[in-house]
Amino acid sequence: MMCMRKIALCLAAALLTAAFAGCGSTGKDQVSSSSSSAPSSSSAPSSSQPSSSSAASSEASDNADDEPVELIIKDEKLKAAYDAVRAEFGEFWLAMPAVITEAQMTEVYYVNAEDVEEFVGEMAFVNISGDTFVGAKAKPGKAETVAAALEKRREDIITQFETYPVNFMDIKSQAAKVITEGDYVFLVLMGDINVPDGQEASLQMAEDEVARAEKAIRSVFEEAK
């Protein structure tokens, strides 16, 4: 398992070096989470995605050299949910994460700013991974609208890796899930994955990883009840 993780990390690093050589830092609205320095998951794939995801990943990668600042989450429950998932996964957080910008929120995740009180999230900033954590506090009556938007993004991720089935992401992406708790909506896809016994076992592993994230999120709201 450790060997697979090292191989995947080295492969991703090599691809990044080739793909982003010469790119400048342009995203002034990009911030990086203080927790984003954790090693990437071994599940990061090793090829390109279609243009919509590539554009988002390229923007994030351009901003990766910006001075990192703390990701500020104002809403207490939203922050607690983020912290709970972050703690649950530890070093196997998202593959090479970068904070999702407001532009990406609308263009890539289809969430309109007027539908949310707060939107936070991180995504793999390379176009070789679909790893994502999104949390949003919807405005009253807008939770279903936000959930539908994130569901569309979930379907995009699945479609992308059906076309580019690399490093098991075609399997892993199928485990992506939209989770709703009252006015709070989340999209999660993360965790480790390998193929010990074929595709069925790997999909189960990917679903179990997402289930860990869901359990961590729901525990925050159960405590509040």
Side-chain angles (χ1 to χ4, degrees):
M1 177 71 72
M2 290 302 297
C3 182
M4 291 180 66
R5 292 170 184 160
K6 289 180 181 178
I7 291 172
L9 183 59
C10 290
L11 179 58
L15 288 168
L16 277 173
T17 301
F20 301 123
C23 289
S25 176
T26 60
K28 295 182 180 179
D29 61 341
Q30 177 74 40
V31 294
S32 299
S33 168
S34 59
S35 63
S36 295
S37 59
S40 61
S41 166
S42 64
S43 56
S46 59
S47 184
S48 299
Q49 296 176 7
S51 59
S52 62
S53 179
S54 298
S57 299
S58 178
E59 178 184 345
S61 65
D62 285 345
N63 295 323
D65 293 332
D66 288 353
E67 185 68 23
V69 296
E70 183 180 4
L71 174 63
I72 298 175
I73 304 176
K74 297 178 181 179
D75 184 86
E76 290 184 4
K77 288 183 180 178
L78 200 57
K79 184 178 188 305
Y82 172 89
D83 289 344
V85 178
R86 188 67 182 82
E88 173 66 26
F89 283 86
E91 65 174 321
F92 295 110
W93 182 236
L94 311 181
M96 303 179 186
V99 172
I100 297 169
T101 66
E102 185 173 346
Q104 290 168 339
M105 175 188 76
T106 302
E107 296 169 7
V108 181
Y109 291 84
Y110 309 108
V111 176
N112 293 322
E114 58 267 27
D115 291 334
V116 294
E117 293 184 6
E118 188 170 10
F119 178 101
V120 295
E122 293 184 69
M123 62 184 288
F125 72 70
V126 289
N127 61 359
I128 56 174
S129 175
D131 283 7
T132 296
F133 175 88
V134 164
K137 182 180 181 182
K139 290 183 178 179
K142 291 295 184 178
E144 289 187 5
T145 300
V146 175
L150 294 181
E151 177 65 25
K152 185 176 180 181
R153 174 56 184 161
R154 186 190 74 84
E155 293 171 357
D156 281 354
I157 295 172
I158 293 172
T159 299
Q160 288 159 11
F161 290 104
E162 285 177 345
T163 305
Y164 295 86
V166 289
N167 279 21
F168 321 132
M169 274 302 303
D170 55 321
I171 302 171
K172 180 179 179 181
S173 63
Q174 295 176 42
K177 188 172 184 178
V178 176
I179 301 162
T180 301
E181 276 282 355
D183 290 331
Y184 296 84
V185 188
F186 303 86
L187 171 61
V188 293
L189 177 62
M190 62 188 67
D192 197 13
I193 182 174
N194 56 46
V195 185
D197 297 304
Q199 291 190 2
E200 184 176 346
S202 295
L203 177 58
Q204 183 62 58
M205 184 177 182
E207 290 174 345
D208 289 345
E209 292 287 85
V210 169
R212 289 172 59 198
E214 180 176 6
K215 182 178 179 180
I217 290 169
R218 295 202 187 279
S219 68
V220 170
F221 295 90
E222 289 172 0
E223 291 174 0
K225 292 178 180 177

